[in-house]
């Protein structure tokens, strides 16, 4: 679990508004229309990426509280990063979770 979290920490970058993002990111089964009007499936911070990261970090933090098996520095990074991961977005226009952090037009 520690190796997984280290990989995820390395993948995250600071994005807009100080939130952490994955980049590049894809949801290949869900195409959208990019700003140039072309179909695309690569952007940043797909909902799946961010959901997996939140679940992994949450599981590690919970396990560490019970078993005390991660270094304090590592846990400190997880707490800091966890608080800077954006939550899923549900726009009023569709009332559905977005696949990406932007409300792209769907293909």
């Amino acid at each position: 679990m520690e190796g997984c979290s280290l990989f995820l920490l390395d993948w995250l970058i600071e994005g807009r508004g100080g939130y952490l993002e994955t980049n590049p990111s894809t949801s290949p089964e869900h195409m959208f229309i990019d700003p140039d009007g072309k179909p695309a499936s690569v952007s940043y911070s797909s909902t799946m990426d961010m959901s997996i990261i939140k679940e992994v970090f949450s599981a590690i933090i919970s396990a560490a509280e019970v078993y005390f098996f991660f270094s304090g520095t590592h846990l400190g990074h997880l707490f800091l990063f966890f608080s800077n991961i954006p939550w899923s977005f549900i726009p009023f226009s569709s009332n559905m979770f977005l696949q990406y952090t932007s409300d792209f037009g769907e293909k």
Side-chain angles (χ1 to χ4, degrees), residues 5-63:
S5 67
L6 290 171
F7 170 82
L8 295 173
L9 288 170
D10 284 343
W11 187 19
L12 290 166
I13 60 171
E14 187 172 342
R16 298 176 206 162
Y19 286 110
L20 296 171
E21 302 175 346
T22 56
N23 196 352
S25 182
T26 186
S27 182
E29 74 285 355
H30 189 83
M31 303 284 286
F32 61 89
I33 305 301
D34 75 9
D36 295 329
K38 298 177 184 172
S41 65
V42 177
S43 182
Y44 66 94
S45 297
S46 71
T47 299
M48 180 59 75
D49 290 352
M50 303 315 286
S51 297
I52 290 170
I53 290 169
K54 284 185 263 187
E55 287 297 318
V56 168
F57 285 6
S58 180
I60 290 170
I61 290 167
S62 295

Side-chain angles (χ1 to χ4, degrees), residues 78-97:
L78 290 180
F79 277 114
L80 176 66
F81 278 59
F82 190 78
S83 65
N84 287 319
I85 295 172
W87 294 98
S88 301
F89 301 98
I90 304 174
F92 290 112
S93 61
S94 66
N95 206 23
M96 296 172 54
F97 279 108

